[in-house]
Amino acid sequence: NTLIEARKKAEESDRLKMAFLANMSHEIRTPLNAIVGFSAVLTDEDESFDDESRREFSEIIKVNSFQLLKLINDILDMSKIESSEVKLNEDPVDLMEQVAQIDSIICPQAEERGQEFKIHVHGIDHGHLLGDSVRLRQIFINLLSNAVKYTPVGGSVILDLTEEPSSIPEHANISITVTNTGYGMTPEFIKTIFEPFTRAENSTTNKIQGTGLGMAITKSIVDLMGGRIQVKSELNKGSCFEVVLPFAIDPNGSQEKNGKYLHKE
């Protein structure tokens, strides 16, 4: 029975990886075609364009370049995680500075889709911590970018940040909750959302570009940091992701309640 189970798992893993490669060939080709095509148009000596057209074509090239880079970075990141090459740093983390940076990244994305984006910061007694700020920011961005991406135009995305008691002296548990009024997920897909190479397959989400690695990467980072992640979702109603991460309190940081971030209500 153990051998049969192992074989089934190996076959399923191979199937997922083949499906992933097929999906990636399409995902990578799409922005690459746009980059090559519009670059060729811009450099065509027989064509003359006004400044507005040049700006428009350049913007298309830039957007697709970022999309291609994101795809490749996700693939490389997952490869590093799977081969246990990722090591966490322990540096000073200013939680409110992190939130302000996330706000500046996510707010334009939400505004572009006419979405309401709110940040609630409350109950934070320790805003200066020790940990890996780059990986923490990656968790924030993965959760929030996904929330924006899988929420229809006019929907809402909420980031709730608070602190939970820790049983470990000189440590704090930071709770990050991201809620959206998005497309939601089926109970079947929720079971596999944190596995690599999986994406929800339906007529709506198939139009959205991505590797299907974002949540697997997020889960792996959360695990590395000794935290936990869970999700609740209902199809066509939205999703709620909750992450709780333990941090050592920075003994050299000034601890102000809720920090200096002017949170958006």
Side-chain angles (χ1 to χ4, degrees):
N1 280 348
T2 307
L3 283 173
I4 293 170
E5 281 296 312
R7 184 179 170 184
K8 278 184 181 176
K9 280 186 179 178
E11 286 174 351
E12 177 63 7
S13 176
D14 286 344
R15 187 192 70 75
L16 285 172
K17 285 182 180 179
M18 289 304 293
F20 170 75
L21 287 172
N23 184 43
M24 278 307 91
S25 65
H26 169 73
E27 296 285 356
I28 290 171
R29 190 168 60 237
T30 302
L32 196 54
N33 279 342
I35 293 164
V36 171
F38 281 96
S39 297
V41 169
L42 276 174
T43 54
D44 190 339
E45 292 179 2
D46 295 332
E47 296 283 352
S48 61
F49 302 105
D50 56 27
D51 288 345
E52 189 177 337
S53 295
R54 287 187 179 279
R55 275 195 297 272
E56 185 183 334
F57 295 159
S58 297
E59 184 63 24
I60 291 169
I61 292 169
K62 186 172 82 172
V63 167
N64 281 276
S65 296
F66 281 133
Q67 175 64 24
L68 187 59
L69 187 60
K70 173 75 169 67
L71 291 169
I72 292 167
N73 281 341
D74 276 359
I75 294 165
L76 292 174
D77 225 1
M78 197 66 230
S79 175
K80 280 183 185 176
I81 288 167
E82 288 206 316
S83 60
S84 303
E85 286 180 24
V86 174
K87 305 295 178 199
L88 295 175
N89 295 320
E90 187 160 290
D91 302 313
V93 175
D94 184 335
L95 201 54
M96 297 311 113
E97 187 180 291
Q98 289 272 317
V99 174
Q101 287 176 8
I102 296 309
D103 189 11
S104 68
I105 292 167
I106 301 300
C107 198
Q109 294 179 20
E111 284 178 355
E112 196 177 322
R113 292 173 60 81
Q115 294 170 350
E116 182 180 44
F117 176 48
K118 291 183 180 179
I119 297 176
H120 296 157
V121 179
H122 58 99
I124 299 288
D125 294 327
H126 304 97
H128 289 267
L129 308 163
L130 293 173
D132 194 318
S133 58
V134 173
R135 293 298 176 180
L136 174 60
R137 191 156 55 249
Q138 192 173 8
I139 291 170
F140 274 121
I141 291 172
N142 280 359
L143 290 174
L144 287 163
S145 292
N146 253 31
V148 170
K149 190 162 58 169
Y150 290 102
T151 296
V153 172
S156 68
V157 175
I158 298 170
L159 167 63
D160 186 276
L161 194 70
T162 190
E163 184 178 329
E164 295 182 356
S166 174
S167 58
I168 306 169
E170 304 306 315
H171 278 68
N173 288 330
I174 301 301
S175 171
I176 302 162
T177 305
V178 173
T179 310
N180 69 65
T181 58
Y183 304 119
M185 295 172 278
T186 63
E188 293 75 26
F189 183 69
I190 289 172
K191 292 174 187 173
T192 65
I193 188 170
F194 297 121
E195 293 176 12
F197 318 117
T198 57
R199 292 183 70 191
E201 297 296 329
N202 62 52
S203 58
T204 302
T205 58
N206 283 351
K207 296 172 189 171
I208 300 170
Q209 290 184 319
T211 56
L213 289 176
M215 286 302 101
I217 290 169
T218 302
K219 171 74 162 63
S220 297
I221 295 169
V222 169
D223 288 347
L224 276 171
M225 295 173 82
R228 65 180 188 272
I229 183 169
Q230 59 185 20
V231 58
K232 294 175 186 172
S233 185
E234 197 173 335
L235 203 58
N236 300 319
K237 290 197 176 177
S239 302
C240 176
F241 287 83
E242 185 187 9
V243 172
V244 179
L245 298 169
F247 285 94
I249 297 164
D250 185 353
N252 301 315
S254 59
Q255 305 299 341
E256 297 177 10
K257 236 181 167 27
N258 292 328
K260 296 179 179 176
Y261 180 69
L262 182 63
H263 40 285
K264 299 159 64 181
E265 297 294 344

